[in-house]
Amino acid sequence: MFVREAKPEDADAFGRVHVEAWRAGYRGMMPDDFLASLDPAVRGARWRERLAKQPDGRAIFVITGDIGAPYGFAGVGPARDEPGPRGELYMINLLPAAWGTGAATMLLARATEALRNFGHREAILWVLRQNARARRFYEREGWKQTGDRRDTISENGFTFEVDELRYGRAL
């Protein structure tokens, strides 16, 4: 396994990873019609746009294997919902076949290092309360619930309620 900075050429793989990870990871936590509406080509196009013009203070990393095909990615930058000195882990998405392989740990280590390099002393992330697997992973890696919550997602023409918890940690 190898972690590197993402490139625009990774966008199509990101679209596939994003959709497969969400469909498997959020089944029963997000509406089935929303998950079915996710399109790898549309996601890939969005990722191509994001990767082509990455703003300063943000980074996206990809994990690849022996054949070089990306099978996971992570993104970090300034905290989106609170101006100030905190950084945020925006996402870690992995193909379901890579769950439990140590890939998420490698991505998280690289993402945390980037947040430190950007000058952040603290970081946050958001995770669905029902996502016990992800919560166990973050807790094992030193993240702790802060008590903050949010409850609505609007995406892809859908708006639905979720129960997201904020986690934080010192860097």
Side-chain angles (χ1 to χ4, degrees):
M1 292 186 279
F2 177 72
V3 178
R4 62 169 169 78
E5 287 195 40
K7 300 180 267 189
E9 304 87 71
D10 297 321
D12 289 335
F14 278 25
R16 183 173 72 90
V17 169
H18 196 155
V19 169
E20 287 188 34
W22 277 44
R23 284 182 178 161
Y26 294 136
R27 183 174 291 120
M29 296 176 221
M30 292 183 178
D32 290 341
D33 53 345
F34 166 71
L35 294 172
S37 77
L38 299 176
D39 181 339
V42 170
R43 293 286 166 160
R46 286 184 191 166
W47 280 111
R48 186 170 292 99
E49 193 175 296
R50 286 182 191 168
L51 292 168
K53 51 184 171 183
Q54 185 74 295
D56 289 341
R58 293 178 187 251
I60 299 175
F61 301 101
V62 60
I63 191 159
T64 63
D66 293 337
I67 60 171
Y71 58 89
F73 61 95
V76 296
R80 293 174 286 189
D81 60 351
E82 55 179 58
R86 285 192 179 130
E88 182 173 347
L89 174 67
Y90 300 139
M91 88 290 289
I92 293 180
N93 285 307
L94 286 171
L95 289 176
W99 295 353
T101 66
T105 301
M106 289 179 68
L107 282 167
L108 183 59
R110 186 72 179 269
T112 303
E113 176 186 23
L115 288 168
R116 276 190 212 104
N117 290 341
F118 290 142
H120 299 292
R121 292 187 191 160
E122 296 179 28
I124 63 166
L125 63 83
W126 291 92
V127 63
L128 291 179
R129 180 189 54 77
Q130 306 96 309
N131 194 341
R133 182 184 44 79
R135 290 178 56 201
R136 279 191 307 270
F137 168 72
Y138 291 123
E139 289 167 6
R140 188 174 58 244
E141 295 296 323
W143 295 77
K144 304 223 181 308
Q145 284 187 53
T146 66
D148 297 319
R149 297 175 98 143
R150 61 184 184 190
D151 60 7
T152 304
I153 289 181
S154 291
E155 188 170 336
N156 215 34
F158 290 82
T159 299
F160 51 91
E161 293 198 13
V162 295
D163 188 3
E164 281 189 303
L165 304 173
R166 186 167 77 170
Y167 277 63
R169 68 164 287 174
L171 297 172

